[in-house]
Amino acid sequence: MKNCNTTELNGKPLKEDLARRLGVPVLIANDANCFALAETHLGAVRQHHPDAKVVFGIIMGTGVGAGIVINGQILNGHHGIAGEWGHNVLLPDGPECYCGKRGCVETLISGPALEAWYEAKAKRHLSLARIAAATAHDHVARLTLDRLHLLFGQALANVVNILDPDVIVIGGGVGNVQSLYRAGRETLLPFLFNPRFATPMIAPALGDSAGVFGAALLARGTFREAQLS
Ligand SMILES: [Zn+2]
């Protein structure tokens, strides 16, 4: 294991330990990769954009991650870190991240990061859902959402400039903030290397089960290939 936010697992052979304990072959994959694969083959992408060749599947919740699916297959990358936009540095002087850097996207626009920012200014704790619902009468809530929109747009523009996906699926608790689809989208354009931003941004269709379906798809594909060879 590496780069895991459950940092106790890093450097440990979790897959081998599980396989030995369970007595069956085990496959381990990043939850965002599983999410992206499931939404591509079984969920929102299949429903709304079945011809999409490049899918960027985001999970924004307690952490920020994503999976990249190209022509129906997960892109793992040379180091296995493809899609890890949550650890792109946005503010070099920003909050410390468990990964050892400062100001990673995840330290700024994950649910806990936004709730902590609100709490530091408003001197009370609210869930992000309640912050998002309070913007009409709560000035700090408004500022928190403005911060989310701006940093989301900037962070996602960095991705689109490189990957230019055919569709973006936005999952996770922060992804439930509906203004991401409007105000969040609009803040992307000033950072984009293009005069317009036309990429569809869609909500997931599989709910909290997407990761499980994706893991099953990965296992089916991998173990079927092993049987055939
Ligand atoms: Zn980080």
Side-chain angles (χ1 to χ4, degrees), residues 192-225:
L192 195 69
F193 186 58
N194 202 57
R196 67 189 187 103
F197 176 52
T199 313
M201 285 171 38
I202 59 174
L206 299 172
D208 293 339
S209 302
V212 180
F213 286 123
L217 286 172
L218 269 183
R220 189 177 69 173
T222 303
F223 296 134
R224 183 184 283 163
E225 273 174 28

Side-chain angles (χ1 to χ4, degrees), residues 87 97 99 104:
H87 297 277
C97 185
C99 77
C104 293

Side-chain angles (χ1 to χ4, degrees), residues 169-195:
V169 193
I170 306 179
V174 181
N176 288 331
V177 175
Q178 291 304 304
S179 55
L180 283 178
Y181 292 92
R182 301 184 304 275
R185 216 192 139 87
E186 284 165 15
T187 62
L188 195 142
L189 193 56
F191 300 104
L192 195 69
F193 186 58
N194 202 57

Side-chain angles (χ1 to χ4, degrees), residues 3 23 166 183:
N3 291 347
D166 296 311

Side-chain angles (χ1 to χ4, degrees), residues 86-89 96-107:
H87 297 277
N88 284 351
V89 174
E96 282 182 14
C97 185
Y98 76 85
C99 77
K101 294 189 283 294
R102 299 187 78 101
C104 293
V105 170
E106 178 168 305
T107 68

Side-chain angles (χ1 to χ4, degrees), residues 15-90:
K15 180 176 143 178
E16 289 74 13
D17 285 355
L18 280 174
R20 191 165 55 242
R21 184 63 69 92
L22 297 170
V24 294
V26 168
L27 199 68
I28 284 189
N30 178 296
D31 63 337
N33 286 3
C34 293
F35 166 83
L37 197 64
E39 289 294 341
T40 299
H41 289 288
L42 306 170
V45 178
R46 181 179 170 179
Q47 280 173 26
H48 303 294
H49 300 280
D51 297 331
K53 294 192 166 44
V54 179
V55 177
F56 193 61
I58 293 172
I59 297 186
M60 297 169 70
T62 52
V64 174
I68 298 170
V69 177
I70 298 182
N71 295 327
Q73 305 275 319
I74 280 288
L75 178 74
N76 285 306
H78 188 66
H79 304 94
I81 61 168
E84 294 288 5
W85 73 306
H87 297 277
N88 284 351
V89 174
L90 266 193

